[in-house]
């Protein structure tokens, strides 16, 4: 039941924070005192407290004879507060089964708390919980904020222990994703153990092999020689059959699938060297090759672990998303009290509370006071995003600055967090054509290499039988296509990990190479170059229709469209009861139509909506008669001009295609620096697609960036496409990449990473092919021994893996610099 605090408690003895030395602060948490503080006799004197919660915690600590906590601590405790949480739902069998494991004498669970500030906090938690009936073991770690508890659930419910933690100021939460993390640690430990066994065995086998190699005059007695060989056999056996088990298992899998691959060659060469050495040891032959077998396994395990590290970086985004959502939510009851419930118990319309530092359990809207949320995991935005009442808050973001109240809008699989998780998982399942081609080449190479080794063996058997097996084994080992098989996957895994850090999710594996080759990029305007907060600048009505009625009709039509312009009407009609719209449908290139109170209405371009001459405004009518005309004002995204300048610096030609009128499109183009010759206005989806096809016919590789429903056809038709994550779901499904958070600055960063990954793939393939062309003749001519072959092949594999990992170093530096400045946006009138 030892806790980290025990070792450090003497070192901090006698220390108290300066804050507690001040009478104007709470004795327990150090926060400023209210006008009428609570007082309690603790530690031999009257102490002031900011609330009854802190006073009760201090009283319990004193009554439990744990007053040393105040002497040992290095920083103030977390504020306890007066609100209590009902933890009864933590005793549910389904929740315990999911988040705790059965151990001897009870169950074990790992909790998180953000209130553990120093080693003394861990000491207090340990002492406090072990006094509860049924608690068998407690391990609190002040560094990670984790508390591991082993308890007998039949004697004490978990809710009792959690209530005790909260009463002391340590609000508990479940460590979600703990099972995944446990499995990863277990797998990593297995690989490290295999690597340790292989490394130790390789050193021992090489030591005994060196003694045999140095006997060049043949003066070693047969007994001594056989002793060294049998010892080498003993140290090699666990290396081949335990440390090398992943390769043996892979060979069995390939043979069952009736195909030859890298694992077949690795495991086959290892077993061949091992059993041939054993045979020579038994019969007293001239040569043994235990050293080559164990070195082969050891060095390949190092390369395999580095490759897994690259893949782990790429999958870290999925793991982080899985851990982002809390396991429980605090839901308000009708009487205003709070209860903790599992996430699957939440429904749209529920009001949930989110404390500072806690994750948002579901997508919702802010209710009440302003606050801020850390959305770095979802959007890559480093700074907390300020939110006001009515703004959206996303599941997986973290509450900052002050507690928040949210009205639940979407739960479970419908949340943005779940959608991003599915997108990332789908992208990682796909293998681009270049990776599949490398696998096919490696398979053919294995077959050709086996035939070549057989031919080499026959030739040497005819000319120097004593060296035939050794030379053939060297040919098999030195030209094993490990580097060729790793050349593409290692680079792509590192590239996808780098993209995830930049906030760009790749949905199709082959798109990365296409993005690297793009030479023209086409942008949509509304919601892509402009921000998603247009404002209503002017409203004109006709035929006696008042302004409020016209705005209500327009807002009702736009309400569920998901179009960026809908926000302008929502803001203009805030607090107004809107009529219900039926049969709402988008008419690409024209606008939106629907039926309200039995009458058909259209909102969009003047000829289509109102039978008027086209202009830059948005018209409301029945198709023949106008009742209102609206002028909207859009603002470019803060980073739009700088992002487009970076793209041009990278050699791309930038175009703008928009369905809006010429005047607002021209103003937007001027604001972000797009030449007039590359601007197209009044473009229907078919026109946009035709423009892309025209550029492709001219030999250009076209990238398209959009966000709306109208963009889905052209996103699908472009060579490579990027959709902004704050746009329409259909546009995202048609795209190759999703840019989280809608930051255009990430597009040139992604392009730069794609080009670097393409260069690294080429470098890796060139090295793998060049190495084999050089090494194979040397081995076939007898100039390379088996152990030298194992060393050369493994170092070749290590080289391509380390070269691929350079992408992670670049992306880490790129994220740290956050290269894009944010200029002051320029307002652009028009729609």
């Amino acid at each position: 039941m030892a806790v980290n605090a025990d070792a450090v408690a003497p070192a901090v003895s006698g220390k108290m924070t300066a804050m507690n030395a001040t009478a104007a602060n709470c004795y327990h948490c150090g926060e400023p005192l209210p006008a009428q503080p609570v007082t309690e006799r603790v530690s031999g004197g009257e102490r002031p407290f900011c609330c009854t919660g802190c006073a009760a915690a201090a009283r319990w600590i004193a009554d439990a004879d744990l007053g040393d906590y105040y002497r040992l601590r290095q920083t103030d405790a977390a504020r306890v507060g007066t609100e209590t949480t009902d933890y009864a739902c933590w005793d549910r069998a389904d929740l315990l089964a999911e988040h705790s494991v059965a151990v001897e004498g009870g169950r074990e669970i790992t909790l998180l708390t953000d209130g553990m500030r120093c080693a003394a906090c861990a000491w207090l938690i340990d002492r406090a919980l072990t006094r509860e009936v049924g608690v068998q073991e407690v391990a609190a770690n002040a560094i990670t904020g984790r508390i591991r508890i082993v308890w007998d659930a039949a004697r004490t419910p978990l809710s009792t222990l959690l209530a005790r933690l909260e009463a002391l100021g340590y609000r508990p939460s479940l460590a979600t994703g703990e099972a995944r993390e446990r499995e990863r640690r277990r797998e990593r430990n297995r690989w490290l153990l295999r690597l340790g066994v292989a490394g130790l065995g390789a050193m021992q086998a090489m030591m005994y092999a060196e003694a045999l190699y140095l006997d060049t005059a043949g003066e070693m007695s047969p007994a001594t020689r056989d002793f060294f060989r049998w010892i080498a056999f003993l140290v090699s056996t666990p290396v081949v059959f335990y440390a090398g088990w992943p390769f043996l298992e892979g060979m069995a899998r390939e043979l069952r699938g009736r195909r030859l691959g890298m694992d077949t060659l690795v495991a086959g060469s290892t077993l061949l060297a091992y059993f041939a050495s054993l045979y020579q040891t038994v019969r007293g032959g001239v040569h043994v090759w235990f050293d080559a077998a164990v070195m082969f396994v050891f060095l390949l395990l190092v390369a395999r672990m580095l490759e897994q590290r690259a893949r782990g970086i790429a999958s870290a985004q999925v793991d982080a998303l899985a851990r982002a959502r809390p396991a429980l939510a605090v839901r308000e009851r009708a009487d205003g009290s709070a209860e903790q419930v599992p996430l699957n118990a939440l429904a749209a319309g529920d009001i949930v509370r989110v404390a500072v530092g806690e994750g948002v359990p579901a997508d919702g809207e802010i209710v009440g006071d302003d606050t801020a949320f850390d959305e770095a995991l979802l959007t890559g935005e480093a700074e907390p995003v300020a939110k006001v009442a009515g703004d959206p808050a996303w599941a997986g973001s973290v509450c900052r600055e002050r507690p928040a109240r949210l009205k639940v809008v979407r739960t479970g699989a419908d949340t943005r967090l779940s959608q991003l998780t599915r997108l990332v998982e789908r992208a990682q399942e796909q293998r681009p054509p270049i990776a599949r081609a490398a696998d096919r080449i490696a398979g053919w190479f294995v077959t050709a290499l086996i035939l070549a080794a057989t031919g080499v063996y026959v030739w040497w058997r005819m000319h120097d039988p004593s060296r035939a097996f050794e030379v053939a084994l060297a040919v098999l080992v030195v030209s094993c296509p490990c580097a060729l098989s790793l050349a593409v996957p290692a680079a792509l895994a590192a590239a996808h990990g780098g993209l995830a850090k930049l906030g760009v999710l790749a949905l199709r594996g082959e798109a990365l190479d296409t993005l690297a080759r793009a030479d023209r990029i086409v942008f949509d305007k509304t919601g892509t170059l402009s921000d998603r907060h247009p404002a209503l600048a002017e409203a004109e009505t006709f035929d006696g229709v008042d302004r409020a009625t016209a705005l209500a009709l327009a807002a009702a039509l736009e309400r569920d469209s998901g179009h960026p312009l809908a926000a302008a009407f929502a803001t203009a009609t805030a607090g107004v009861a809107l009529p219900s719209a039926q049969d709402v449908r988008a008419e690409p290139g024209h606008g939106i139509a629907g039926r309200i109170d039995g009458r058909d209405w259209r909102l969009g371009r003047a000829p289509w909506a109102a039978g008027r001459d086209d202009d830059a405004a948005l018209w409301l009518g029945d198709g023949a008669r106008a009742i209102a005309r609206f002028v909207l004002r859009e603002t470019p995204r803060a980073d739009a001009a700088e992002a487009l300048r970076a793209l041009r610096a990278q050699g791309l030609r930038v175009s703008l295609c928009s369905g809006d009128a010429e005047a607002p499109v021209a103003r937007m183009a001027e604001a972000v620096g797009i030449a007039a010759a590359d601007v197209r206005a009044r473009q229907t989806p078919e026109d946009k697609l035709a423009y892309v096809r025209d550029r492709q016919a001219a030999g250009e590789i076209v990238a398209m960036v959009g966000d709306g429903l109208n963009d889905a056809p052209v996103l699908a038709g472009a060579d490579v496409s990027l959709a902004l994550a704050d746009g329409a779901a259909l546009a995202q499904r048609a795209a190759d990449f999703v840019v989280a958070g809608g930051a255009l600055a990430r597009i040139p960063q992604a392009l730069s990473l794609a080009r670097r990954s393409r260069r690294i793939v080429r470098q890796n393939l060139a090295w793998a092919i060049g190495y084999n062309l050089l090494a194979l003749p040397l081995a076939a001519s007898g100039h390379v021994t088996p152990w030298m072959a194992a060393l050369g092949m493994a170092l070749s594999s290590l080289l391509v893996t380390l070269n691929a990992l350079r992408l992670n170093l670049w992306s880490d530096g790129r994220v740290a610099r956050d290269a894009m400045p944010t200029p002051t946006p320029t307002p652009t009138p028009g729609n």
Side-chain angles (χ1 to χ4, degrees):
M1 216 179 306
V3 176
N4 298 345
D6 291 333
V8 296
V12 298
S13 177
K15 292 183 180 180
M16 289 185 62
T17 62
M19 189 171 284
N20 274 336
T22 304
N25 298 97
C26 175
Y27 180 74
H28 182 74
C29 70
E31 292 196 5
L33 294 173
Q36 295 183 339
V38 178
T39 58
E40 188 75 30
R41 187 169 184 80
V42 176
S43 301
E46 291 290 328
R47 309 291 182 184
F49 297 93
C50 63
C51 63
T52 56
C54 286
R59 188 186 315 116
W60 187 91
I61 291 171
D63 293 345
D65 199 22
L66 298 175
D68 282 347
Y69 163 72
Y70 293 107
R71 180 173 57 85
L72 297 175
R73 66 178 179 172
Q74 294 173 297
T75 187
D76 295 315
R79 187 175 187 271
V80 178
T82 56
E83 293 187 3
T84 58
T85 305
D86 182 3
Y87 291 103
C89 75
W90 290 59
D91 298 325
R92 291 170 45 145
D94 56 344
L95 190 142
L96 289 177
E98 181 179 357
H99 295 282
S100 67
V101 293
V103 296
E104 184 178 355
R107 302 195 68 85
E108 177 182 316
I109 192 171
T110 299
L111 306 172
L112 296 175
T113 180
D114 58 357
M116 202 172 357
R117 309 285 175 80
C118 64
C121 293
W123 177 87
L124 176 63
I125 289 171
D126 171 62
R127 298 301 189 277
L129 292 185
T130 51
R131 292 170 182 252
E132 299 291 336
V133 176
V135 175
Q136 302 171 11
E137 185 178 350
V138 177
N141 189 317
I143 297 175
T144 63
R146 275 173 154 77
I147 307 169
R148 185 175 61 85
I149 304 174
V150 180
W151 87 106
D152 184 355
R155 298 178 62 192
T156 300
L158 180 61
S159 57
T160 300
L161 308 181
L162 303 182
R164 171 55 58 208
L165 283 173
E166 186 184 47
L168 293 174
Y170 306 105
R171 185 184 299 273
S173 61
L174 281 172
T176 55
E178 191 66 20
R180 187 196 293 256
E181 187 67 28
R182 256 198 318 269
E183 182 56 35
R184 185 187 296 102
R185 286 197 302 266
R186 193 178 297 118
E187 180 68 14
R188 183 188 61 207
N189 291 339
R190 280 197 295 264
W191 276 90
L192 287 175
L193 182 58
R194 286 194 176 101
L195 186 64
V197 170
L200 184 61
M203 286 189 294
Q204 298 297 318
M206 286 298 295
M207 181 177 66
Y208 297 120
E210 184 180 8
L212 296 172
Y213 289 142
L214 291 176
D215 183 30
T216 55
E219 298 175 350
M220 185 180 293
S221 66
T224 303
R225 180 200 66 191
D226 291 345
F227 173 76
F228 282 135
R229 288 182 176 180
W230 282 110
I231 293 295
F233 163 75
L234 291 176
V235 299
S236 299
T237 299
V239 175
V240 172
F241 293 102
Y242 173 71
W245 178 252
F247 305 112
L248 299 176
E249 190 177 38
M251 179 181 70
R253 193 163 48 244
E254 289 173 355
L255 293 178
R256 282 196 302 268
R258 297 183 179 181
R259 63 183 180 89
L260 297 178
M262 186 180 73
D263 283 342
T264 298
L265 195 56
V266 170
S269 301
T270 303
L271 292 176
L272 191 61
Y274 175 82
F275 284 112
S277 300
L278 178 60
Y279 174 74
Q280 293 289 352
T281 299
V282 171
R283 67 182 291 270
V286 179
H287 297 292
V288 293
W289 304 276
F290 289 118
D291 56 325
V294 296
M295 184 178 292
F296 199 29
V297 171
F298 170 65
L299 294 174
L300 277 179
L301 278 176
V302 174
R304 183 75 57 97
M305 287 194 69
L306 284 174
E307 182 201 7
Q308 287 186 339
R309 180 180 180 274
R311 295 181 184 275
I313 293 172
S315 63
Q317 183 81 352
V318 175
D319 299 333
L321 291 171
R323 293 192 297 268
R325 189 164 50 184
L328 298 166
V330 178
R331 181 174 64 185
E332 285 190 4
R333 296 189 179 99
D335 60 1
S337 61
E339 60 176 342
Q340 281 204 327
V341 297
L343 294 194
N344 57 17
L346 291 179
D350 286 346
I351 302 296
V352 297
R353 299 177 184 175
V354 184
V356 174
E358 291 186 356
V360 177
D363 289 354
E365 294 179 353
I366 305 296
V367 177
D369 296 336
D370 299 350
T371 184
F373 290 89
D374 182 352
E375 299 178 349
L377 184 62
L378 301 174
T379 68
E381 176 61 48
E383 297 296 326
V385 180
K387 303 279 187 176
V388 299
D391 282 353
W394 311 110
S397 57
V398 179
C399 183
R400 299 298 185 201
E401 296 183 4
R402 64 185 63 162
R405 294 174 69 242
L406 308 177
K407 180 181 179 182
V408 174
V409 176
R410 286 179 297 274
T411 62
D414 295 330
T415 63
R416 186 176 183 181
L417 176 68
S418 298
Q419 293 169 7
L420 285 175
T421 303
R422 289 195 296 271
L423 289 175
V424 175
E425 289 175 340
R426 189 178 73 183
Q428 292 181 357
E429 290 168 359
Q430 296 181 347
R431 290 177 60 78
I434 190 172
R436 295 193 293 268
D439 285 346
R440 284 195 302 271
I441 293 171
W444 300 333
F445 189 84
V446 169
T447 304
L449 185 59
I450 292 174
L451 294 175
T454 304
V456 168
Y457 176 82
V458 171
W459 191 92
W460 278 89
R461 187 72 182 174
M462 294 168 58
H463 295 82
D464 188 354
S466 64
R467 296 199 63 199
F469 180 82
E470 179 181 71
V471 174
L473 180 62
V475 169
L476 282 175
V477 172
V478 78
S479 295
C480 178
C482 297
L484 183 61
S485 295
L486 290 172
V488 178
L492 291 179
H496 284 292
L499 285 174
K501 292 176 183 176
L502 293 175
V504 180
L505 307 178
L507 307 187
R508 295 175 180 83
E510 65 273 15
L512 193 66
D513 183 66
T514 310
L515 179 63
R517 295 184 289 113
D519 44 31
R520 179 176 292 275
I521 186 165
V522 181
F523 285 87
D524 176 48
K525 180 178 75 74
T526 303
T528 302
L529 289 178
S530 69
D531 62 20
R532 297 185 63 84
H533 303 288
L536 183 64
E538 184 181 327
E540 182 181 2
T541 60
F542 311 99
D543 287 351
V545 177
D546 62 89
R547 186 176 187 274
T549 301
L551 285 173
L553 291 172
L557 290 172
E558 288 277 11
R559 177 165 44 192
D560 298 319
S561 68
H563 194 277
L565 298 182
F569 293 103
T571 302
T573 57
V576 177
L578 300 179
S580 176
Q582 289 84 34
D583 299 329
V584 178
R585 62 195 181 278
E587 296 288 345
H590 298 291
I592 192 167
R595 179 173 297 170
I596 300 176
D597 295 332
R599 185 171 177 181
D600 290 330
W601 294 103
R602 295 180 179 183
L603 179 66
R605 295 176 59 178
W608 175 77
R612 297 289 187 101
D613 292 336
D614 198 7
D615 62 3
L618 199 64
W619 289 77
L620 175 65
D622 58 8
R625 185 172 60 92
I627 69 165
R629 175 181 177 273
F630 305 106
V631 176
L632 302 180
R633 183 179 64 250
E634 287 182 300
T635 304
R637 289 182 186 261
D639 59 353
E642 188 66 27
L644 269 59
R645 189 156 43 246
L647 289 169
R648 284 192 293 271
Q650 291 172 322
L652 270 73
R653 293 179 285 275
V654 181
S655 298
L656 171 59
C657 283
S658 174
D660 290 344
E662 291 186 7
V665 173
R667 283 191 291 268
M668 178 64 73
E670 183 181 1
V672 298
I674 300 177
D678 293 318
V679 176
R680 300 289 185 276
R682 286 305 188 201
Q683 299 284 289
T684 65
E686 292 78 13
D687 294 333
K688 293 180 182 179
L689 185 57
Y691 176 73
V692 168
R693 296 286 191 228
D694 179 65
R695 294 295 85 212
Q696 290 170 333
E700 295 181 348
I701 296 175
V702 181
M704 178 70 196
V705 184
D707 83 318
L709 295 172
N710 292 351
D711 300 324
V714 69
L715 287 172
D719 294 293
V720 62
S721 54
L722 303 97
L724 304 185
D726 52 5
L730 180 59
Q732 295 174 23
R733 286 197 295 270
D736 299 308
F737 296 91
V738 171
V739 182
L744 297 179
R746 297 190 175 99
I747 296 176
Q749 294 174 0
L751 177 66
S752 181
L753 179 62
R755 289 178 173 176
R756 284 175 176 268
S757 69
R758 191 163 185 257
R759 284 198 298 270
I760 283 180
V761 166
R762 286 179 170 179
Q763 293 167 3
N764 284 354
L765 287 174
W767 167 257
I769 294 171
Y771 164 79
N772 281 291
L773 291 176
L774 176 65
L776 185 57
L778 289 174
S781 61
H783 290 87
V784 178
T785 62
W787 74 266
M788 293 170 61
L791 181 62
M793 187 282 310
L795 290 178
S796 175
S797 301
L798 284 171
L799 181 64
V800 299
T801 304
L802 291 172
N803 191 38
L805 289 174
R806 290 194 302 128
L807 285 170
N808 288 323
L809 298 177
W810 179 86
S811 61
D812 286 342
R814 196 68 177 172
V815 171
R817 290 194 301 271
D818 194 21
M820 289 297 175
T822 37
T824 304
T826 304
T828 302
N831 63 339

